Amino acid sequence: MKRENAGRGRLHREEPATPVGGVFIKFSHVKKRFGPKIIYTDLDLEIRRGETTTVLGASGSGKSVMLKMLIGLLRADSGKITFDGKEIQDLAERNMHDVRRKIAYLFQGAALFDSLSVGENVAYGLREQFWDSMTDDEIRERVAQSLAAVGLPGIEEMRPSDLSGGMKKRVGLARTLALQPEVLLYDEPTTGLDPINTARINHLINGIKKAFSITSIVVTHDMGTAFSVSDRLVMLGKGGVLMAGSMDDFRNTKEPYVRDFIDGKAPETEDVSSLLAS
Ligand SMILES: Nc1ncnc2c1ncn2[C@@H]1O[C@H](COP(=O)(O)OP(=O)(O)OP(=O)(O)O)[C@@H](O)[C@H]1O
């Protein structure tokens, strides 16, 4: 049932308490292990509101674990995680919903439903989340705005099977944007794209930040993306943050491990014959 003016307040969420540029998300002394496997011994990390923070790190360094602790899919063993000034590490599952609603996760290879039109795909999350507060007209309008925001206006009637890989990624982004999140988590947003489509997505990440003052966290192995979209970069490893800084700090770093990661070089000490044998 759709009520014409019901729940309007939910369409225009309250402004966050944190001012733009203030610390919106903070991990303090977070520890996390899985049995004997230690992931974090002391994770300290700040994400500022309205900025794009790119998280770098070797496979297995704990990037996904960090994001999952933020949305409460995994619990920290100890330490503090704050979101918009509130401690969330010990919140009960039902209270995590509020946090999760404000954070949208753009999954790697986020699949569209082939049986639905593009417009229905973008509307899907809205119908789930706002079934009692948005009218069909409002949903249509939000879908149109979201598709326009990713540079694909008017393609509501198309089918996902008619879209290129780059367009599918942008429709996935439109579906996420339609929910008007406060934080957008991009997980490997440019994986598998050619250089032109990669540049398009990088451009969109920057455009969306400006247009919606969204706080973005980008997890990527693509240094081109990292150096196109970031206000700050954070490199994870050795149980915490190995380095945090601006794009210039990272471009000019001489720290050997970070340098090799940026330049895509295996450490010189690595034994290639054992890698080939494994
Ligand atoms: N639920 C879990 N139970 C046990 N081990 C886990 C669990 N989740 C993650 N891990 C382990 O934690 C480590 C960090 O995993 P994570 O997925 O965060 O790495 P990542 O940095 O995101 O890697 P990639 O770049 O390959 O995606 C890995 O060794 C992984 O096997």
Side-chain angles (χ1 to χ4, degrees):
M1 183 184 69
K2 310 274 185 311
R3 280 169 286 141
E4 202 48 46
N5 286 312
R8 291 256 173 179
R10 287 178 57 197
L11 301 185
H12 305 282
R13 296 200 172 116
E14 272 171 44
E15 271 288 289
T18 311
V20 171
V23 177
F24 201 25
I25 295 166
K26 188 172 165 73
F27 289 74
S28 312
H29 303 302
V30 166
K31 288 187 174 33
K32 180 71 190 168
R33 65 195 293 168
F34 296 104
K37 188 168 206 165
I38 296 169
I39 311 297
Y40 291 117
T41 48
D42 191 6
L43 175 63
D44 273 305
L45 179 63
E46 287 182 358
I47 309 277
R48 293 182 179 272
R49 186 169 160 224
E51 289 192 351
T52 299
T53 304
T54 296
V55 180
L56 303 169
S59 287
S61 58
K63 301 181 294 293
S64 303
V65 168
M66 189 265 287
L67 297 181
K68 285 178 183 163
M69 289 193 293
L70 175 61
I71 54 179
L73 291 179
L74 284 172
R75 295 282 166 182
D77 298 334
S78 64
K80 221 161 71 174
I81 304 172
T82 54
F83 178 83
D84 199 17
K86 294 194 191 85
E87 283 190 28
I88 59 168
Q89 74 279 358
D90 297 323
L91 280 187
E93 181 59 27
R94 64 176 181 286
N95 296 328
M96 273 315 288
H97 290 312
D98 261 357
V99 176
R100 284 191 200 134
R101 260 215 309 268
K102 295 174 182 169
I103 303 178
Y105 199 165
L106 193 71
F107 284 102
Q108 194 175 344
L112 301 174
F113 297 112
D114 280 332
S115 57
L116 302 180
S117 68
V118 166
E120 286 160 346
N121 264 286
V122 177
Y124 190 86
L126 288 173
R127 291 196 196 285
E128 274 203 324
Q129 207 175 109
F130 301 110
W131 63 272
D132 62 343
S133 59
M134 280 184 94
T135 65
D136 284 343
D137 280 349
E138 284 168 339
I139 288 179
R140 248 191 308 277
E141 197 183 321
R142 183 79 66 82
V143 168
Q145 284 167 352
S146 306
L147 284 170
V150 299
L152 296 172
I155 67 158
E156 283 88 336
E157 299 310 320
M158 286 179 79
R159 294 268 144 190
S161 53
D162 301 327
L163 306 178
S164 68
M167 287 169 89
K168 279 185 190 162
K169 289 233 183 213
R170 285 148 76 194
V171 171
L173 185 51
R175 182 172 59 183
T176 306
L177 271 183
L179 298 170
Q180 298 187 332
E182 286 167 13
V183 180
L184 244 171
L185 308 180
Y186 296 92
D187 189 4
E188 295 285 354
T190 52
T191 299
L193 294 182
D194 62 60
I196 304 260
N197 275 305
T198 296
R200 259 193 201 125
I201 294 283
N202 294 344
H203 188 66
L204 270 176
I205 293 174
N206 286 329
I208 283 165
K209 179 185 80 172
K210 284 207 192 89
F212 302 97
S213 321
I214 272 184
T215 305
S216 309
I217 304 176
V218 179
V219 170
T220 186
H221 290 123
D222 180 337
M223 293 312 301
T225 293
F227 284 136
S228 304
V229 304
S230 313
D231 294 298
R232 261 169 73 79
L233 292 110
V234 173
M235 172 111 192
L236 299 178
K238 298 194 178 137
V241 170
L242 284 178
M243 178 172 166
S246 66
M247 290 204 269
D248 275 346
D249 294 336
F250 271 73
R251 269 195 205 101
N252 301 325
T253 185
K254 294 195 169 55
E255 206 281 310
Y257 182 84
V258 182
R259 191 71 263 155
D260 284 347
F261 189 91
I262 293 172
D263 296 340
K265 283 203 296 202
E268 288 182 7
T269 49
E270 198 154 55
D271 179 355
V272 178
S273 55
S274 72
L275 280 179
L276 291 174
S278 65

